Amino acid sequence: MVKIQRLVIQGFKSFKRKVSIPLPTGFSVVTGPNGSGKSNLSDAISFVLGRTSSRTLRAKRTHELIFHGSKKKSGSDFAKVAIYFDNSKKILPLEDESVSISRRINKKGVSTYRLNGKVITRQQVIDIFSQAGIHPDGHNIIQQGDVNQIVEMDAVERREIIDEISGIAEYDEKKRKAEKELEQIDVRIREAEILLQEKYQVIEKLRKERDAALRYKKFDKELKDVRAALLWKDFSGTKRGLGNAAEKLEEKEKLMEKLEKDIKDYDDKIAKEEKKLDGLTKQVFKASEQIDVSNRITKLRSELEIKQDKIGSNRREIDRLQSLIERVSQLDTKISPAFKSVENLRGVFGTVSNLINVPAEYRTAVEVAGGGHLNDIVVDTTTNTIKCVKYLKAKKIGRARFLPLDRVRSEKKPLPTGAIKWLSELITHESRYGPVMNYIFGSTALVKNADRAGEIAKRQRVRMVTPDGDLFEASGAITGGFYRKRGAGALNEINKYLEDKKKLEKEIDSLHIQIRDINEDLEILAEKEKRTKTADLEKERIRLDESLYRLREKRKEVYERRVELQQDISKLNIQKAKLEAKSEDLKFQWGEKDEIEDDIQDYINMSVAKLKELETNAIEGIQTLGPVNMKALEEFEMIKTEFEDFREKVDKIVDEKNSIMDTVKKIEKKRKETFIHTMSSIANHFREVYLELTEGEAGLELEDPENLESGLLIKAQPPGKKLLHIDSMSGGEKTLTAFAFLFAVQRHKPTPFYILDEADATLDRENTKRVVNLIKKQSNLAQFIVISHNDTLVREADQIYGVSMEDGESKIFGIELPQAEKMIEKEKQKNN
Ligand code: ATP
Ligand code: MG
C-alpha cells in the first residue's frame, strides 16, 4: 500500500510559511477552531493530486489558492504543495521507494508538477497515481458537507461512482476511441463505397463490352475452328480422295498393264493362231487344190493316154514316113548307097542336103552352088569319119565324101558389093553344122541375076550364083542356062518326110517328156492326195477360225476394256491432278501445322452440315454483335483488378470495422462483467457494512438490472424500521448509509488513504462510535485523515493535529489527547 509519509505546504491558501506535516500510518485526526485552515489541508492534498476545479478547491480562481496575505502578513508569490509517498511496495510504477509529487502554481495560475523534483505533466501525475487507485477527484476525499452526497445524489451519478470504482472508464475510453475509429472508418467506408459504386458502374459498362468481346472471341474462335475443321476435313478428304485416286489409278494401271499384257498375249495367240490358220488355210487350200489335183490326175491320166496314143500314132506315122522315105529313096539314085550304109553309125548326122533347110526361092541356087557337096556326109569327128571310111571299105559298099565337124574350117570374107548375101546366110540349119555349111556355102554369094554377077565379076574374083542357077566361079568359069531341077522332087519329098518324121519324133520326145512330167506330177499329186485329209483339215480350219474369232472377240473385249480403262485412267489422272492442285491449295491454307488442336478435334468429329450450321451461326452471331471493343477485354481485367484490389481494401476496412466492433463488443462485455463484479462486490460489502453500522438491512441495486446505464439505488432499512426512501432518511441515517457505502467501496477496493472533512457532523455519539470503530478497523488497510471536532473520534485517533490561525496564517502542530480535548471543549464553549 502506498502511504503518505509527509505533506509539505507553502503559500497554499491560509498556509503561508512552509509547513511539513508527517502523516504516519493509521488514523489521524485534525482538529482546530472553525476557519483555522483544516479544510485547506484537505484542499492541499486534492490540489497536489491534480484537481483542477477551482470550485471544488473552494476558490473562485486558481490564483486564489495562493496565500493572499493578511494585515500583518504579506501574500505569497506562489503556492506549492508536496506529498511524500512510501513506495517501498512499488505500487506506484516507479523504481523509487520514496516518491515525492509536488504542484506549484504561480500567480498567473500556471501549474508545475514535479515527480521527485523532475517536471512532469499533470496527466503523468494522474497516470502514476491511478495505478494506486488515487484520483484527484476520488471518492476517498470527502469534503466538508459532502458526506451525504452519495445518498442524495442522482441515482445515475451514483451508478457512475460504481463505474469509476470498477475502472470501466478505461473501457469507456477504449470504447470511445474505438467508436471514434468506427466513425472515421464509416466515413472511409462511405467514401469508398461511393468510389466503389462509381467503379462498379464503369466496370459494369466494361463488363458488357467485355462480354460482347468475349462472345465475339468465342464466335471468332468457333468460326476459325469450324473453318479449320472444314478445311481439315476438306484437306484430309482431298488427301484421302487423292490417295484413293492414286490407289485406283495404280490399280487401274496395273489392270492396264495386265490388259496390255493380255492384249499382247491375245495378239500373240491370234498371230500364232492366224499363222496356224494361215498354214491350215494354205493346207486346206492346198487340200482343196488336191481336189483339182485329183481332177488333174484324172485329166493328166487322160492326157497321158492321149499322149501315149499320140506317141503310138506318131510312131505309126513315122513308120509310114520311113517306108515312104525308103521307097522314095529307092527311086532317087542320087541318094548314095554309102550314106545309107553309114547313116546309122555313130557320129553320122546326115548328108548336107539332109541337114539344111532352104527357102524355095533359093533352092535352085543352093543346089547349083552345093553341087556334089550336097551328098557329103557330115560326121562329128574325124575319128568317127575314119570309122565310117573303114566301114565302107570293109563292106565294100562304095565311096563317100565326109565332112568331119572338128576338122572342116573356112574363112569368112566380106560380101561383094551388089551381092544379096552369102548363101550360107540364106540357109537354115543347126548351128553345130555352121563350119561345114560355111565351108560349102560361105564363099558363094547370091546375086540378083547374071548381069549383076557379071558386074561383080568384073570387079573381083568371087563365086556367085543367081536364084535361077547361074553359077559364076571365082576362076571365071560360068555355068548357066536353063536349070532343070535335078531329082528335086524326090529329095524334097524325102526331106519333107524326114521333116515330118523328125517332127513326129520330136513330138514323141516331147510327149515322153510330158508323160514323164505328168507321171511325176501324178506321183506328187498322188502323194499329196495320200497325205492330206481335206475334211479334217477343214474342220480344224473351222475350229481354228472359230477359236480365232473367239480370241479376236476376247481381244476386242479386252481392248474395249482397255479403252474404257484408258478413259478411266485419264479421268482419274484429271481427278488426281485436280485433287493434287486442291490439296496443294488446301495444304497452303492449312499451313505447317502438324497436329490438330484439341478444340478443332471436337469439330472434326462433327458432320460437315453441322459445321456449316455452326459457321453460319458464328457469322450471324458476329454480325448481331456489331462493332465490338476488343480493348474491353484488357481494360476490363485491368479495371476489374483495380476494382477487386479496391474492394479488397474496402473489405479490409470493413474487416477493420468489424474487428473494432468486435473489440467494442468485447469491451462492452468486459465492461459489463467488470461492472457487475464490482457492483455485486460493493453491494455485498454495503450490506455487511450497513449491518455492522446499523444492524439494519441495506442493499444496492440498479434501477433496471438489465441496463448498466441505469441508476444505482440505495435501499436501507435501519433496524426496526421499514425500508426507507432516501428522502425520508434523517441526516444521521443518511450519513451512516453514506459511510456504509464508503467502507463498502473501500472493502472492495481500498485506496491508500481517506480524507473525511467533518463527515461525522450529523452523527450522534452512539453512531459516531460505530463509525469510529469501523474507521479504526478499516485503518489497518488505509490511512485515515479525519477532520473533526468530535472528541469521541479524537479520542480514538492514532495521532492528533491541531490547526490554528494566527494573523491570517494557519499553523498546524501535533498535539496530545488532553490538549486536543481542551481545544475541542474550548471550541464548544466558543460556539455555544
Ligand atoms: P471550520 O471549522 O469552520 O470548517 P476551518 O478550520 O475548516 O473552519 P478553513 O475553511 O480551512 O477553516 O479556513 C478558512 C480560512 O482560511 C478562512 O478564515 C480564510 O480567510 C482563510 N483563507 C482562505 N483562503 C485564503 C487565502 N488565499 N489566503 C489567506 N487566507 C485564506
Ligand atoms: Mg472546515
Side-chain angles (χ1 to χ4, degrees), residues 13-14 16 66-76 805-810:
K13 283 199 171 180
S14 56
K16 176 186 160 87
I66 302 166
F67 178 72
H68 51 60
S70 64
K71 285 179 184 170
K72 290 187 178 174
K73 312 247 174 182
S74 57
S76 298
M805 181 163 283
E806 288 171 28
D807 300 328
E809 184 185 356
S810 294

Side-chain angles (χ1 to χ4, degrees), residues 210-416:
R210 183 210 55 170
D211 286 351
L214 280 176
R215 270 170 42 224
Y216 174 83
K217 253 181 105 174
K218 185 181 154 279
F219 282 133
D220 189 52
K221 167 107 175 61
E222 186 165 62
L223 194 59
K224 278 193 185 117
D225 287 354
V226 163
R227 280 180 174 163
L230 279 169
L231 183 65
W232 173 254
K233 270 176 122 71
D234 202 2
F235 184 35
S236 52
T238 304
K239 272 208 292 197
R240 210 165 35 245
L242 197 57
N244 286 345
E247 218 171 82
K248 268 191 201 163
L249 202 59
E250 202 185 341
E251 219 170 75
K252 300 244 171 192
E253 271 164 356
K254 264 187 196 159
L255 190 60
M256 186 68 161
E257 260 175 47
K258 191 187 167 289
L259 289 185
E260 301 265 16
K261 194 179 164 287
D262 284 355
I263 287 170
K264 196 182 166 295
D265 286 351
Y266 278 121
D267 282 343
D268 288 350
K269 268 185 197 164
I270 287 167
K272 226 178 190 175
E273 295 284 277
E274 271 176 346
K275 203 173 166 191
K276 236 161 128 185
L277 187 67
D278 198 36
L280 204 63
T281 306
K282 272 181 188 156
Q283 277 183 36
V284 171
F285 179 71
K286 273 182 191 161
S288 67
E289 259 184 346
Q290 220 58 43
I291 299 165
D292 295 339
V293 166
S294 299
N295 293 336
R296 268 177 64 204
I297 288 170
T298 319
K299 201 176 155 198
L300 281 176
R301 280 186 182 141
S302 71
E303 257 177 48
L304 201 65
E305 278 172 24
I306 292 166
K307 286 188 199 296
Q308 278 165 346
D309 286 350
K310 179 76 175 154
I311 289 170
S313 76
N314 277 10
R315 287 234 162 92
R316 282 189 300 274
E317 182 62 15
I318 287 167
D319 288 347
R320 191 186 67 86
L321 283 172
Q322 187 61 34
S323 61
L324 271 174
I325 289 165
E326 281 173 6
R327 194 163 47 88
V328 172
S329 297
Q330 283 165 357
L331 295 172
D332 188 0
T333 53
K334 299 286 182 191
I335 293 171
S336 139
F339 174 64
K340 279 188 180 167
S341 57
V342 297
E343 186 183 21
N344 292 321
L345 290 180
R346 182 190 286 266
V348 175
F349 293 119
T351 59
V352 169
S353 60
N354 287 344
L355 297 176
I356 57 169
N357 238 338
V358 185
E361 61 265 36
Y362 305 131
R363 192 153 289 171
T364 303
V366 168
E367 279 180 16
V368 169
H373 283 299
L374 288 176
N375 292 322
D376 289 352
I377 297 162
V378 179
V379 185
D380 56 355
T381 60
T382 310
T383 317
N384 282 338
T385 305
I386 293 165
K387 280 178 184 169
C388 286
V389 170
K390 281 179 179 172
Y391 181 78
L392 286 176
K393 209 173 254 177
K395 292 281 179 176
K396 297 177 178 154
I397 294 167
R399 289 176 64 89
R401 190 165 51 193
F402 292 92
L403 298 173
L405 282 173
D406 61 344
R407 292 285 297 170
V408 178
R409 288 286 177 272
S410 65
E411 269 177 49
K412 194 147 184 173
K413 294 172 191 166
L415 187 70

Side-chain angles (χ1 to χ4, degrees), residues 637-684:
E637 290 305 326
M638 215 168 70
I639 297 287
K640 192 184 160 207
T641 310
E642 271 178 30
F643 181 77
E644 297 293 343
D645 289 351
F646 188 71
R647 196 155 66 180
E648 236 170 69
K649 277 182 195 160
V650 175
D651 286 349
K652 268 185 193 160
I653 298 171
V654 172
D655 284 350
E656 215 178 301
K657 184 187 168 179
N658 288 337
S659 150
I660 293 168
M661 279 165 76
D662 205 36
T663 308
V664 168
K665 273 186 194 159
K666 278 181 188 162
I667 291 169
E668 279 175 345
K669 190 172 172 240
K670 194 84 184 158
R671 180 185 185 277
K672 189 180 176 183
E673 284 169 3
T674 309
F675 179 85
I676 288 168
H677 169 73
T678 310
M679 167 76 193
S680 66
S681 166
I682 290 173
N684 287 338

Side-chain angles (χ1 to χ4, degrees), residues 573-592:
N573 271 325
I574 291 166
Q575 192 191 348
K576 194 178 155 222
K578 278 182 183 168
L579 285 172
E580 270 168 358
K582 193 179 175 189
S583 178
E584 275 306 305
D585 182 36
L586 289 172
K587 192 179 171 190
F588 177 73
Q589 285 185 50
W590 182 254
E592 294 299 314

Side-chain angles (χ1 to χ4, degrees), residues 288-555:
S288 67
E289 259 184 346
Q290 220 58 43
I291 299 165
D292 295 339
V293 166
S294 299
N295 293 336
R296 268 177 64 204
I297 288 170
T298 319
K299 201 176 155 198
L300 281 176
R301 280 186 182 141
S302 71
E303 257 177 48
L304 201 65
E305 278 172 24
I306 292 166
K307 286 188 199 296
Q308 278 165 346
D309 286 350
K310 179 76 175 154
I311 289 170
S313 76
N314 277 10
R315 287 234 162 92
R316 282 189 300 274
E317 182 62 15
I318 287 167
D319 288 347
R320 191 186 67 86
L321 283 172
Q322 187 61 34
S323 61
L324 271 174
I325 289 165
E326 281 173 6
R327 194 163 47 88
V328 172
S329 297
Q330 283 165 357
L331 295 172
D332 188 0
T333 53
K334 299 286 182 191
I335 293 171
S336 139
F339 174 64
K340 279 188 180 167
S341 57
V342 297
E343 186 183 21
N344 292 321
L345 290 180
R346 182 190 286 266
V348 175
F349 293 119
T351 59
V352 169
S353 60
N354 287 344
L355 297 176
I356 57 169
N357 238 338
V358 185
E361 61 265 36
Y362 305 131
R363 192 153 289 171
T364 303
V366 168
E367 279 180 16
V368 169
H373 283 299
L374 288 176
N375 292 322
D376 289 352
I377 297 162
V378 179
V379 185
D380 56 355
T381 60
T382 310
T383 317
N384 282 338
T385 305
I386 293 165
K387 280 178 184 169
C388 286
V389 170
K390 281 179 179 172
Y391 181 78
L392 286 176
K393 209 173 254 177
K395 292 281 179 176
K396 297 177 178 154
I397 294 167
R399 289 176 64 89
R401 190 165 51 193
F402 292 92
L403 298 173
L405 282 173
D406 61 344
R407 292 285 297 170
V408 178
R409 288 286 177 272
S410 65
E411 269 177 49
K412 194 147 184 173
K413 294 172 191 166
L415 187 70
T417 312
I420 295 167
K421 267 187 179 174
W422 295 114
L423 269 187
S424 60
E425 289 170 350
L426 294 170
I427 58 166
T428 55
H429 51 79
E430 284 182 35
S431 61
R432 57 179 164 175
Y433 307 135
V436 174
M437 298 311 167
N438 212 37
Y439 162 68
I440 299 165
F441 302 106
S443 53
T444 308
L446 182 73
V447 288
K448 197 176 168 187
N449 47 38
D451 294 337
R452 180 66 55 90
E455 284 167 23
I456 296 167
K458 284 175 192 167
R459 289 198 304 271
Q460 64 184 93
R461 291 186 179 276
V462 66
R463 197 172 183 250
M464 290 174 286
V465 67
T466 65
D468 297 338
D470 296 335
L471 181 68
F472 291 73
E473 293 290 348
S475 58
I478 302 166
T479 312
F482 173 68
Y483 180 77
R484 201 183 58 162
K485 285 177 183 165
R486 187 178 51 91
L491 188 62
N492 277 349
E493 217 177 314
I494 288 163
N495 280 346
K496 189 181 174 295
Y497 294 151
L498 282 171
E499 264 176 36
D500 289 349
K501 189 186 149 198
K502 251 181 187 167
K503 270 184 192 167
L504 287 171
E505 281 172 343
K506 248 185 180 172
E507 196 177 36
I508 285 168
D509 285 347
S510 158
L511 282 169
H512 274 303
I513 290 165
Q514 282 176 33
I515 284 165
R516 197 191 65 215
D517 288 349
I518 286 169
N519 276 331
E520 274 176 12
D521 284 354
L522 276 172
E523 251 174 64
I524 293 164
L525 288 173
E527 187 65 28
K528 273 184 188 170
E529 199 179 28
K530 216 188 326 181
R531 246 192 352 239
T532 321
K533 281 185 179 168
T534 320
D536 288 351
L537 281 175
E538 184 60 20
K539 237 175 162 178
E540 177 64 9
R541 197 188 68 82
I542 289 166
R543 194 191 63 71
L544 256 181
D545 209 27
E546 279 172 357
S547 154
L548 203 55
Y549 176 76
R550 280 199 298 278
L551 275 175
R552 285 204 181 101
E553 280 300 301
K554 275 186 185 163
R555 186 198 181 274

Side-chain angles (χ1 to χ4, degrees), residues 34-35 37-40 58 144 757-758 787 789:
N34 293 129
K38 300 185 294 295
S39 295
N40 287 345
R58 299 181 303 131
Q144 192 169 3
D757 192 352
E758 298 188 37
I787 298 165
H789 299 288

